[in-house]
Amino acid sequence: MPRYKLTFEYDGTGFSGWQVQPEARTVEGVAEEAFSTLYQQPVDLIGQGRTDAGVHAMAQTAHADLPDVYTAKRILHAMKGLLPDDVALLQIEKSDPQFHARFNARSRRYRYDVHTRPSPLNRHRYWIVNGDIDESILTVCAGKIIGKQDFKNFCIPPDTEKMTTECTILFSEWKSFPSGFGFTYHIEGNRFLRHMVRRLVGGMVHTAQGKMSIDDFESLLNGPEQKQKAFSAPAHGLTLMEVKY
């Protein structure tokens, strides 16, 4: 069977993350169910990585080996009726038989949105933060993240000791909202650990609010592993924007 590269968009509010889990509604689970219905046989999707419960995606990629019976246009049309309203298949294309959504990815890009005043319309998209945030400190902290570093204090410990906690960050920048009532954080790296972006955001925002010093932030970044990890910002402010190959 030919291999296909798939690109999904989803609102993570009603999901327990991307990866299939017993007794839980997941993006991968509903997508596999939709494809299995279309092809009348089990279909297994392999994602580029997992997103946590509540995290959104503009362009989550996956691959699947599918029977060569439908055109890409026909599959896209069918998925509009088979997928729930909070998931969409944006693109499907035949790929090299050896293509792997996870292992062939060169980098991933995320954004995180922080709002500094109540916003009922955006409560599932933004982290609503009380109190002032010093943008200049956000900028300083963001710059310290760039490069190859060990993010052991900004993640949930890996499932195995053989898995490294080193990642290479290619881009890290905060931008203020035009309204002046919030900030968006953009980050791109070769790989990310569980809760890593959320803990980086939480640590930077707490530093910019004076709840910890820049030296404290640097000690989490460059120092030995600590029992008290960086604060994890809420999942709903995070969106996977792009996976580059």
Side-chain angles (χ1 to χ4, degrees):
M1 290 189 291
R3 179 158 294 186
Y4 289 82
K5 177 187 175 187
L6 317 170
T7 304
F8 294 93
E9 177 181 316
Y10 52 86
D11 176 348
T13 305
F15 291 101
S16 296
W18 162 266
Q19 193 173 34
V20 170
Q21 303 173 46
E23 306 299 323
R25 184 175 186 259
T26 67
V27 182
E28 184 180 28
V30 300
E32 287 185 345
E33 182 179 353
F35 273 96
S36 297
T37 298
L38 176 63
Y39 286 98
Q40 292 297 293
Q41 67 180 60
V43 172
D44 184 31
L45 301 184
I46 306 296
Q48 63 80 28
R50 58 190 177 189
T51 53
D52 295 324
V55 175
H56 316 292
M58 288 284 290
Q60 167 72 297
T61 57
H63 75 259
D65 297 329
L66 304 172
D68 196 11
V69 294
Y70 300 121
T71 64
K73 184 177 181 180
R74 174 70 179 87
I75 296 170
L76 284 172
H77 180 74
M79 285 300 122
K80 290 178 181 178
L82 292 171
L83 287 169
D85 291 341
D86 45 4
V87 184
L89 178 65
L90 301 183
Q91 187 175 10
I92 180 168
E93 56 186 319
K94 284 185 178 179
S95 65
D96 185 280
Q98 302 304 314
F99 170 76
H100 196 287
R102 178 183 177 188
F103 298 132
N104 290 143
R106 293 187 294 107
S107 67
R108 287 90 171 162
R109 182 168 62 89
Y110 286 88
R111 68 177 284 170
Y112 195 100
D113 291 298
V114 177
H115 213 277
T116 53
R117 72 173 183 182
S119 179
L121 288 177
N122 293 302
R123 68 189 186 280
H124 298 307
R125 294 287 185 278
Y126 299 161
W127 176 22
I128 310 299
V129 175
N130 295 318
D132 295 332
I133 297 175
D134 189 326
E135 185 177 2
S136 65
I137 293 179
L138 289 179
T139 299
V140 170
C141 290
K144 294 181 181 298
I145 293 167
I146 295 174
K148 185 176 182 180
Q149 304 199 57
D150 191 329
F151 291 94
K152 56 185 174 294
N153 288 316
F154 291 91
C155 69
I156 290 179
D159 297 331
T160 171
E161 293 182 358
K162 294 181 180 180
M163 183 177 176
T164 179
T165 50
E166 288 188 347
C167 304
T168 300
I169 302 305
L170 307 170
F171 184 82
S172 172
E173 182 181 75
W174 285 93
K175 288 189 176 181
S176 59
F177 288 1
S179 66
F181 293 112
F183 305 90
T184 296
Y185 178 57
H186 298 274
I187 184 170
E188 180 179 347
N190 68 325
R191 61 192 291 267
F192 290 93
L193 306 164
R194 289 187 66 193
H195 289 201
M196 178 175 154
V197 178
R198 292 166 56 190
R199 289 181 187 270
L200 285 169
V201 169
M204 286 187 281
V205 169
H206 275 192
T207 303
Q209 288 189 303
K211 296 180 180 180
M212 57 190 291
S213 68
I214 293 178
D215 287 342
D216 291 335
F217 182 80
E218 282 194 288
S219 69
L220 285 172
L221 194 59
N222 301 317
E225 186 168 5
Q226 301 182 20
K227 288 185 178 180
Q228 184 64 43
K229 309 290 185 182
F231 171 75
S232 184
H236 61 261
L238 182 62
T239 302
L240 172 64
M241 299 299 294
E242 182 183 13
V243 182
K244 295 181 180 180
Y245 292 92

